[in-house]
Amino acid sequence: MKKKILYGLLVILIIIQFFRIDKTNPAIKIENDFIEINNPPEEIASILKTSCYDCHSNESTYPWYSNIAPVSWWVKDHINEAREELNFSEWGTFTAKRKDHKLEEMVEEVEEGEMPLNEYTWTHSEAKLTAEQKTLLMDWVKEVRETAKNKKDKKILHLNNGEKWGANIETTAGIERMLSIINEEIEDGRISLYAAMGQRLSIEMETIFAECTMEGDAHDQLHLYLIPLVEIVRDMEDVEKEDTAMILQKDILKHLNKYADFFESA
Ligand code: HEC
């Protein structure tokens, strides 16, 4: 009886060997690769390749035991699941939000010692991360996240690495004309003069836009600077109450003075 069962198992084991897993890696587009895009230091790249890429990329190398069913099925399952969750070969196709989330998960998984999977390090001892490697990897991943976040912050007015942005002379001259207009004193009760002031400022702003020859980041920053100004100047044109007008005048003056903190003409 025992013999029969063993014999039966052997037959099954032989038969399942015919159900082989597909080991062909999906095609790789190098421009979408995580390492290619983020260009980490050699040491980090090597950690990722050794400890993560077998499962989380389209560059899997299959161990010898992956030739034997049912272990092969189990290996293939891991790889499929890992690729589905996070495929480093397809990094370039992720949205900014997904990238950020995956980077966050990477830190978490490594910190908690969840990754690389234990089942993997049993047979790939070189993939086991030392405490030092973990710290290196996590610090670098956090840095990548931070850099991406700062790029997003480009949409906030800021200096050019601590220096002012170079503005064309016409822009600076336009701001100066606006400053002299806004500094004019208006007698009490002359509300219509505030609206007229708004119109004159508006004309100067149009000239600034028309004459601007700035390009690239400097141009984007000027735009960020001017947008709120356009809005308060428009409010000034439509102003009906004297106390509102006086507040607007102060706000515009404050915003115009800010120009020199961020821009200068050579
Ligand atoms: C043996 C294959 C294998 C290796 C090697 C491996 N992983 Fe995983 N990884 C998986 C599998 C399977 C999952 C999905 C199931 C789970 O979360 O346990 C996963 C999930 C993850 C997730 C979660 C993704 C999400 O959004 O939930 C992250 C992050 C991750 N791995 C990062 C890594 C990093 C970083 C390494 C290398 C240091 C690594 N993994 C090595 C198999 C692997």
Side-chain angles (χ1 to χ4, degrees), residues 47-48 51-52 54-56 78 81-82 85-86 88 101-102 105-106 109-110 115-117 120 129 137:
I47 293 174
L48 290 167
S51 303
C52 319
D54 262 350
C55 298
H56 288 285
H78 269 122
E81 203 185 333
E85 292 275 355
L86 169 61
F88 286 127
H101 178 64
K102 294 296 166 188
E105 294 269 351
M106 278 173 75
E109 299 279 340
V110 170
M115 290 290 149
L117 287 180
Y120 183 73
L129 299 180
L137 181 59

Side-chain angles (χ1 to χ4, degrees), residues 25-217:
N25 280 323
I28 293 166
K29 279 195 183 147
I30 191 72
E31 69 270 25
N32 286 334
D33 177 63
F34 180 80
I35 291 177
E36 184 71 20
I37 290 171
N38 293 299
N39 198 20
E42 195 60 46
E43 211 169 348
I44 304 286
S46 155
I47 293 174
L48 290 167
K49 286 268 181 182
T50 309
S51 303
C52 319
Y53 262 53
D54 262 350
C55 298
H56 288 285
S57 83
N58 295 340
E59 296 180 55
S60 311
T61 47
Y62 289 79
W64 62 267
Y65 51 80
S66 70
N67 288 315
I68 301 159
V71 179
S72 55
W73 304 344
W74 182 71
V75 168
K76 185 70 191 176
D77 257 9
H78 269 122
I79 293 177
N80 284 346
E81 203 185 333
R83 281 179 182 160
E84 209 164 287
E85 292 275 355
L86 169 61
N87 189 336
F88 286 127
S89 301
E90 292 171 0
W91 187 258
T93 66
F94 294 3
T95 60
K97 197 174 157 200
R98 179 143 195 247
K99 282 180 184 151
D100 185 65
H101 178 64
K102 294 296 166 188
L103 289 169
E104 188 183 13
E105 294 269 351
M106 278 173 75
V107 174
E108 252 177 54
E109 299 279 340
V110 170
E111 193 159 38
E112 289 162 11
E114 300 279 341
M115 290 290 149
L117 287 180
N118 282 335
E119 298 96 301
Y120 183 73
T121 50
W122 291 337
T123 49
H124 297 76
S125 54
E126 74 286 355
K128 225 180 246 168
L129 299 180
T130 64
E132 197 187 337
Q133 284 178 314
K134 275 189 191 176
T135 312
L136 258 177
L137 181 59
M138 287 190 301
D139 285 352
W140 178 78
V141 171
K142 284 176 193 164
E143 208 180 288
V144 175
R145 265 192 99 194
E146 197 60 30
T147 311
K149 190 180 160 292
N150 289 342
K151 266 199 192 143
K152 217 170 115 200
D153 290 346
K154 265 187 153 176
K155 290 176 189 138
I156 297 167
L157 187 61
H158 61 84
L159 283 170
N160 185 13
N161 287 324
E163 305 279 321
K164 293 177 189 181
W165 300 97
N168 58 317
I169 290 171
E170 294 81 356
T171 304
T172 305
I175 297 290
E176 274 161 14
R177 286 195 302 274
M178 290 177 79
L179 266 167
S180 70
I181 294 172
I182 202 73
N183 275 317
E184 287 171 16
E185 290 212 19
I186 294 177
E187 280 174 46
D188 290 350
R190 305 291 304 274
I191 182 72
S192 66
L193 286 184
Y194 283 104
M197 185 181 253
Q199 281 162 19
R200 287 159 66 207
L201 290 170
S202 182
I203 291 167
E204 292 297 346
M205 294 225 358
E206 273 170 35
T207 313
I208 289 176
F209 278 115
E211 290 180 346
C212 177
T213 55
M214 289 158 70
E215 286 175 351
D217 285 350

